[in-house]
C-alpha cells in the first residue's frame, strides 16, 4: 500500500477527528474563554483526534478492525481519546486539579461516547468515500468489498427476522 493509498483511507477518520476537536474550541468560546485560548485548545485536540481517526481508517484497511464492530473500536478510543485530551490539557489547559491518573480515568469513561459518535459518522462517510477512490486504490477496493459483504450479511439477517 502506497502513501497515497493510506492517506486516502485515513482521510474520512482524520476529518471526523479534526472536526470534533474544532468543535471543542467552539464550546470553549461558549464558556467565555478568549478566542486565542479557544483556538489553541481546538488545535491541541483536533490534531491528535485527526491522527487517531486517520489511523483507524488505515487499521480498518489492514483488517485490524472490521466494519460494524464496536468493541475493538471502543477499546481503541479508550486509549486514544484520553491521550488526545492529555495533550490538549498539557498545551492549553488550566491544569488537572485531581491529578493525571484520575483525569485519564475520567477521559477513558467518556471516550466510549466519543467512540460511538466517531464510529457512527465513520460508518456513514467511509463507504461513500471508498466508492470514489476504489478505482485507483486497491486497498480501498478491498475495504469497499468488506463493507458490501457486511451490508449484505446485515440485510440477510434483517430479512430472516421478518
Amino acid at each position: 500500500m502506497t502513501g497515497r493509498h493510506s492517506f486516502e483511507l485515513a482521510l474520512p477518520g482524520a476529518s471526523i477527528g479534526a472536526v470534533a476537536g474544532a468543535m471543542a474550541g467552539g464550546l470553549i468560546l461558549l464558556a467565555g474563554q478568549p478566542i486565542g485560548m479557544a483556538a489553541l485548545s481546538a488545535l491541541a485536540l483536533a490534531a491528535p483526534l485527526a491522527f487517531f481517526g486517520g489511523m483507524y481508517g488505515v487499521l480498518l484497511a489492514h483488517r485490524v478492525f472490521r466494519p460494524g464492530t464496536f468493541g475493538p473500536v471502543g477499546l481503541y478510543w479508550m486509549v486514544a481519546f484520553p491521550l488526545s485530551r492529555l495533550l490538549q490539557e498539557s498545551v492549553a489547559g488550566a491544569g488537572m486539579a485531581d491529578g493525571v491518573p484520575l483525569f485519564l480515568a475520567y477521559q477513558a469513561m467518556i471516550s466510549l461516547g466519543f467512540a460511538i459518535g466517531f464510529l457512527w459518522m465513520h460508518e456513514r462517510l467511509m463507504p461513500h468515500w471508498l466508492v470514489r477512490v476504489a478505482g485507483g486504490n486497491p486497498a480501498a477496493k478491498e475495504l469497499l468489498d468488506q463493507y458490501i459483504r457486511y451490508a449484505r450479511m446485515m440485510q440477510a439477517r434483517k430479512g430472516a427476522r421478518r
Side-chain angles (χ1 to χ4, degrees):
M1 183 178 335
T2 68
R4 181 182 67 85
H5 295 160
S6 294
F7 177 78
E8 288 176 347
L9 294 169
L11 197 56
S15 300
I16 295 165
V19 168
M23 288 174 57
L27 293 174
I28 291 170
L29 273 176
L30 287 175
Q33 294 296 320
I35 292 174
M37 178 59 97
L40 178 63
S41 187
L43 182 60
L45 186 57
L49 287 180
F51 172 77
F52 287 120
M55 282 304 300
Y56 171 75
V58 173
L59 292 171
L60 188 64
H62 280 52
R63 296 181 183 231
V64 173
F65 300 114
R66 291 185 330 220
T69 58
F70 177 74
V73 179
L75 292 173
Y76 176 76
W77 282 109
M78 278 184 78
V79 174
F81 186 81
L83 289 176
S84 300
R85 283 284 294 123
L86 184 61
L87 178 66
Q88 178 196 27
E89 197 66 26
S90 299
V91 171
M96 294 166 263
D98 294 330
V100 175
L102 288 176
F103 174 81
L104 291 176
Y106 177 72
Q107 296 306 316
M109 285 190 306
I110 65 172
S111 69
L112 293 178
F114 179 83
I116 290 168
F118 175 86
L119 188 60
W120 185 84
M121 286 295 298
H122 198 272
E123 293 286 316
R124 269 117 199 100
L125 295 177
M126 186 64 144
H128 297 288
W129 176 249
L130 291 173
V131 168
R132 292 181 57 113
V133 299
N137 185 337
K141 173 73 171 114
E142 187 177 322
L143 185 54
L144 179 61
D145 290 343
Q146 281 184 339
Y147 271 100
I148 291 169
R149 282 192 302 276
Y150 174 72
R152 287 184 178 145
M153 180 185 69
M154 295 307 293
Q155 189 174 28
R157 282 185 186 174
K158 187 176 180 180
R161 281 190 267 163
R162 289 185 180 184

